[in-house]
Amino acid sequence: MTSAPPATHAVPRILYKTLNSHRGTVHVARYSKGAATYALTGGQDRKIKLWNRETGKEIATYSGHGYEVLCVDVAHDNTKIASCGGDRTAFLFDVTSGETIRRLTGHAGRINTVQFNHDASVLASGSFDSKVHLWDLKARSGQPIQSLEESRDSIMALHVGTTEIVTGSVDGHIRTYDLRQGKMCSDYIGHAITSLLPTVDSQTLLVTSLDSTVRLMDRNNGTMLNTFTGHRNNDYRTRACFGHGESTVICGDEDGRIWSWDLLKGTTIGQQPPEKAHEKIVTWVEHHPTDAGEMISASADGTVKIWRTT
């Protein structure tokens, strides 16, 4: 019998709330910034929903997309939401009023991912057209201020740092753009990349790819520090994340399970395989930024679930 992991490795497994007002696949579930009192979800029904994570109550719905919503990001001060999807348009919403602030068009295919920079003055969007566009949100121009066009296939993941942008592509490359020096370096993973997430110190990068593997990469030299396997992820985008304190790695799979591993050892934590968390593929997992005992998951079964340790 597998013994319980130590407290520092405790992964939220007790179902606290089920959020089920979306119709169809839910592609993304994010926490708000700061104290992360709220959660935001987006899905196949073209809606973005704002939830109170404590009560599970739906607070607001943001509409405007003509096709499914694939990604959502929240500004640092929680005043704006950016979203994107199948209609090839990035939307900017005012959180309080629910009104559309901007519609950003220019991609030739669906937009898979969007992310604000640190002060929400710039938005990056990555698309099926293999391009990343950077949008100046303080200017009224409808044109991107810069486009990154080195990828040879769909852009699935983005990280926007203070002086750099990191992209993950179906062509198997992680590309890092140094915005100060105007340089780009590339690391070849060899399989389609579906998500990437840096550690807090930006020294390492968590990479999810369609070979049923999550990798921890050294950003300084591109070496692989660890691999996390056991889950099934060959065909659809799933998003991995770090657990509390970055001591664990968490990722959903195509069987509806949520897996967890010890970051340093690479070994699975708890029951193998884990019990099913959802009836269909787990599209997104995100650990609460400050609460050690909570995470959120989204699924193709149409539900979003909040999990706690107690």
Side-chain angles (χ1 to χ4, degrees):
M1 184 174 183
T2 305
S3 60
T8 54
H9 284 176
V11 174
R13 293 284 186 184
I14 301 171
L15 181 61
Y16 176 68
K17 295 287 183 184
T18 299
L19 316 179
N20 56 8
S21 70
H22 278 289
R23 291 186 173 186
T25 298
V26 184
H27 291 291
V28 57
R30 309 297 310 268
Y31 283 106
S32 57
K33 297 300 196 294
T37 306
Y38 304 101
L40 281 152
T41 60
Q44 187 178 2
D45 60 4
R46 303 175 291 177
K47 307 292 185 184
I48 300 156
K49 294 178 182 288
L50 177 68
W51 308 83
N52 182 310
R53 52 175 266 270
E54 279 294 334
T55 64
K57 181 181 178 181
E58 183 181 330
I59 299 170
T61 298
Y62 303 89
S63 302
H65 280 282
Y67 291 81
E68 60 184 344
V69 176
L70 296 174
C71 189
V72 174
D73 195 29
V74 191
H76 65 293
D77 57 2
N78 290 317
T79 61
K80 293 185 287 291
I81 300 167
S83 61
C84 65
D87 53 12
R88 301 181 292 180
T89 303
F91 278 70
L92 202 64
F93 293 96
D94 181 274
V95 170
T96 304
S97 70
E99 294 181 357
T100 302
I101 303 171
R102 300 278 295 274
R103 289 182 177 88
L104 304 170
T105 58
H107 283 290
R110 69 173 183 265
I111 305 176
N112 296 311
T113 179
V114 286
Q115 189 174 335
F116 288 109
N117 70 336
H118 68 286
D119 64 357
S121 60
V122 174
L123 183 72
S125 58
S127 170
F128 182 78
D129 66 9
S130 76
K131 297 177 183 178
V132 175
H133 287 334
L134 305 182
W135 310 88
D136 185 347
L137 300 181
K138 293 184 176 180
R140 299 310 302 175
S141 169
Q143 300 298 316
I145 54 173
Q146 188 175 352
S147 295
L148 311 176
E149 302 182 359
E150 283 72 21
S151 175
R152 296 188 297 276
D153 210 326
S154 181
I155 299 289
M156 297 299 293
L158 279 172
H159 167 68
V160 182
T162 53
T163 61
E164 65 179 8
I165 292 176
V166 187
T167 69
S169 171
V170 172
D171 68 11
H173 286 267
I174 300 168
R175 294 177 175 86
T176 301
Y177 296 85
D178 187 318
L179 300 179
R180 289 178 301 182
Q181 298 185 20
K183 294 181 179 179
M184 187 274 288
C185 67
S186 177
D187 294 303
Y188 185 55
I189 300 299
H191 302 274
I193 296 165
T194 59
S195 80
L196 48 83
L197 186 67
T199 46
V200 171
D201 63 9
S202 294
Q203 296 302 302
T204 55
L205 192 67
L206 192 67
V207 181
T208 312
S209 54
L210 293 184
D211 60 339
S212 299
T213 304
V214 181
R215 294 170 173 84
L216 187 68
M217 308 295 296
D218 187 310
R219 296 200 57 208
N220 293 315
N221 55 27
T223 58
M224 186 166 61
L225 301 175
N226 220 335
T227 59
F228 311 95
T229 58
H231 62 301
R232 188 173 70 89
N233 180 206
N234 298 308
D235 301 305
Y236 298 99
R237 180 177 76 171
T238 59
R239 191 247 194 189
C241 70
F242 295 105
H244 183 71
E246 298 182 338
S247 63
T248 57
V249 171
I250 305 169
C251 188
D253 75 2
E254 293 170 10
D255 296 318
R257 306 180 194 277
I258 298 175
W259 294 72
S260 57
W261 301 266
D262 181 290
L263 178 77
L264 297 179
K265 297 178 181 177
T267 53
T268 53
I269 299 171
Q271 178 179 322
Q272 300 178 45
E275 292 184 6
K276 278 200 172 189
H278 288 273
E279 292 302 312
K280 296 182 180 179
I281 179 176
V282 179
T283 54
W284 196 279
V285 291
E286 184 160 314
H287 198 283
H288 192 277
T290 59
D291 189 334
E294 183 178 308
M295 73 174 179
I296 194 168
S297 62
S299 172
D301 67 10
T303 66
V304 174
K305 294 183 178 182
I306 298 174
W307 305 88
R308 292 189 171 176
T309 52
T310 56

